[in-house]
Amino acid sequence: MANTRHQLTMTDLQLAMAGVAAKTDYRTKQKGMGVMASSHEILGIIEDEVQEYRDEVHAKSAAELKIEELKDIAVACIFGIASIQSGGVDW
């Protein structure tokens, strides 16, 4: 018999989104609002963040460390989207 998946609540999603928003604010204060210059840069940054998450998973790290890496992935994706939408990506 297949496992039944636990269902998220709207509060779960809102807390996750608030965490990503806070991480986005932190990143902009840390590194500014400069666009990513190319699709290759966007991909490289996202791949680096995914590798860091993979490392935490393989290390069987605490949930909070994995969550922080997932936030980093989300922020990289948001900046990638914003960079493309702003017209700032050269190639």
Side-chain angles (χ1 to χ4, degrees), residues 8 10 15 30 41 46 70 77-78:
L8 297 172
M10 283 306 295
L15 286 171
Q30 180 187 41
E41 181 182 12
I46 292 170
L70 287 169
C77 291
I78 290 166

Side-chain angles (χ1 to χ4, degrees), residues 11-84:
T11 301
D12 295 327
L13 290 175
Q14 290 166 346
L15 286 171
M17 290 187 296
V20 171
K23 191 77 168 199
T24 302
D25 289 342
Y26 173 80
R27 191 262 188 210
T28 58
K29 289 175 184 157
Q30 180 187 41
K31 297 185 179 183
M33 296 284 284
V35 299
M36 295 177 184
S38 70
S39 295
H40 288 86
E41 181 182 12
I42 294 167
L43 180 60
I45 290 169
I46 292 170
E47 286 179 339
D48 286 347
E49 296 300 344
V50 169
Q51 182 60 51
E52 289 176 16
Y53 175 71
R54 184 179 291 118
D55 293 344
E56 295 298 345
V57 169
H58 289 172
K60 298 181 180 175
S61 297
E64 191 55 40
L65 293 173
K66 290 183 272 194
I67 289 169
E68 287 304 311
E69 293 304 335
L70 287 169
K71 288 178 192 176
D72 289 342
I73 294 167
V75 170
C77 291
I78 290 166
F79 265 83
I81 292 166
S83 294
I84 293 168

